[in-house]
Amino acid sequence: MIKTIIIDDEASVRADVREKIASHFKNEISIIGEADSVASGIKVIEQLKPQLLLLDINLGDGTSFDILKQTSFKDFDVIFITGYDMHAIKAIKVGALDYILKPIEMDEFIDALRKVTTQEKQENHLEKLIEISSEYFSGVKNKRVILKTSDNVYAIYEDDIIYCRSEGNYTTFYTQQMEKIMVSKSIKKVEEILSEESFIRCHQSYIVNKKHVLKYNKQGILVVHLDFKVPVSSRRKDYVLKRIFD
């Protein structure tokens, strides 16, 4: 049984989560405690040492990021349960953390919890993932993103990313350190985690960091840092050039 704590300032949401777990995970997940604030959340985590947290982001006396940063016990998985707060959702995605949207749909809820109940316990990078999400949520200037490969978990500053190139459901990040990092994400998913003010989808298969663009030539190519060549599609040309050079 996976020992679980629910942290949400809405009693109705906590009751809904309890009911769904009882209906679909009664032999796999055990709810050992609840909390409705940052202070009570930290207290119950330290006392009961759960394996899984289901938590809302915005609480009456702070946010769940405050809980995750302040609690000394961190050996658990995390699934956020949040409303349609696009800034919060982006922060969660940047940190490669899992979430469920309110109002909770049963299929989405089952899929999220099934991942926890069926996956083998892997090396826990939770502290780093939380740090990255919290940075974005609090508005740090030079943001980082989490990139997971089959062998490593990278925390990369956005300014170090020169461009991204996709091949099907995989995308390769090209960095200033001459490192190529391939992740199992489509270009659309990558676009969702990068900052709109710095990154431009210039082609069906390419995203470029405009800070690294040196010039645009007549062949429809952006020449970027380290002499990389990034194509611009004809239908995106006007938009791309306006974003970079105006």
Side-chain angles (χ1 to χ4, degrees), residues 20-83:
K20 285 177 167 58
I21 288 175
S23 297
H24 295 275
F25 296 94
K26 64 180 180 181
N27 297 320
E28 299 158 284
I29 294 175
S30 171
I31 299 172
I32 60 171
E34 296 184 13
D36 61 2
S37 65
V38 171
S40 61
I42 294 171
K43 184 177 180 180
V44 74
I45 290 169
E46 300 290 2
Q47 287 178 341
L48 301 179
K49 296 179 170 46
Q51 295 165 289
L52 172 64
L53 291 183
L54 301 173
L55 69 169
D56 191 12
I57 288 188
N58 293 303
L59 303 167
D61 57 345
T63 73
S64 53
F65 290 118
D66 297 323
I67 294 175
L68 296 172
K69 286 187 289 185
Q70 292 176 38
T71 180
S72 60
F73 178 78
K74 299 184 187 294
D75 190 18
F76 44 68
D77 289 309
V78 170
I79 298 176
F80 291 97
I81 300 176
T82 183

Side-chain angles (χ1 to χ4, degrees), residues 5-246:
I5 289 175
I6 305 167
I7 302 176
D8 196 297
D9 57 0
E10 297 180 68
S12 59
V13 173
R14 299 197 304 273
D16 186 28
V17 171
R18 282 198 310 271
E19 182 180 330
K20 285 177 167 58
I21 288 175
S23 297
H24 295 275
F25 296 94
K26 64 180 180 181
N27 297 320
E28 299 158 284
I29 294 175
S30 171
I31 299 172
I32 60 171
E34 296 184 13
D36 61 2
S37 65
V38 171
S40 61
I42 294 171
K43 184 177 180 180
V44 74
I45 290 169
E46 300 290 2
Q47 287 178 341
L48 301 179
K49 296 179 170 46
Q51 295 165 289
L52 172 64
L53 291 183
L54 301 173
L55 69 169
D56 191 12
I57 288 188
N58 293 303
L59 303 167
D61 57 345
T63 73
S64 53
F65 290 118
D66 297 323
I67 294 175
L68 296 172
K69 286 187 289 185
Q70 292 176 38
T71 180
S72 60
F73 178 78
K74 299 184 187 294
D75 190 18
F76 44 68
D77 289 309
V78 170
I79 298 176
F80 291 97
I81 300 176
T82 183
Y84 286 90
D85 179 339
M86 294 314 296
H87 180 68
I89 291 169
K90 181 86 176 263
I92 294 168
K93 288 181 177 180
V94 164
L97 294 161
D98 289 324
Y99 70 99
I100 301 166
L101 285 175
K102 296 178 183 178
I104 301 170
E105 293 187 2
M106 184 61 79
D107 288 346
E108 184 182 1
F109 183 84
I110 291 172
D111 288 346
L113 268 70
R114 186 65 66 198
K115 285 194 290 185
V116 176
T117 59
T118 58
Q119 72 182 7
E120 293 182 11
K121 188 67 176 176
Q122 299 177 349
E123 184 180 355
N124 197 334
H125 300 283
L126 181 65
E127 288 190 61
K128 180 57 67 178
L129 307 190
I130 291 168
E131 181 184 341
I132 303 306
S133 285
S134 182
E135 283 179 359
Y136 186 92
F137 190 75
S138 61
V140 170
K141 291 288 186 183
N142 186 13
K143 302 177 183 69
R144 290 183 287 174
V145 295
I146 290 291
L147 303 178
K148 292 183 177 181
T149 70
S150 56
D151 300 317
N152 297 293
V153 175
Y154 297 86
I156 302 294
Y157 283 101
E158 285 194 332
D159 284 355
D160 286 336
I161 300 169
I162 301 172
Y163 74 99
C164 309
R165 178 185 180 185
S166 78
E167 297 176 75
N169 290 322
Y170 291 87
T171 300
T172 301
F173 288 70
Y174 293 78
T175 72
Q176 291 197 87
Q177 289 72 34
M178 297 296 289
E179 188 166 21
K180 294 191 291 185
I181 303 169
M182 179 180 283
V183 300
S184 179
K185 281 184 184 294
S186 67
I187 197 78
K188 184 176 184 299
K189 294 292 185 184
V190 167
E191 192 173 15
E192 289 176 358
I193 67 171
L194 296 174
S195 298
E196 295 176 7
E197 61 267 25
S198 297
F199 291 88
I200 302 168
R201 180 83 172 270
C202 59
H203 184 279
Q204 181 179 350
S205 302
Y206 289 83
I207 294 173
V208 68
N209 186 341
K210 68 178 186 179
K211 296 178 181 179
H212 291 295
V213 174
L214 302 177
K215 64 181 178 180
Y216 174 80
N217 65 30
K218 293 181 180 179
Q219 288 73 48
I221 299 293
L222 292 171
V223 179
V224 297
H225 185 57
L226 301 178
D227 205 35
F228 286 119
K229 310 291 193 299
V230 178
V232 177
S233 66
S234 56
R235 70 184 184 87
R236 296 176 189 264
K237 175 186 171 184
D238 291 344
Y239 166 75
V240 170
L241 296 185
K242 183 175 178 63
R243 284 281 313 275
I244 295 173
F245 298 107
D246 277 6

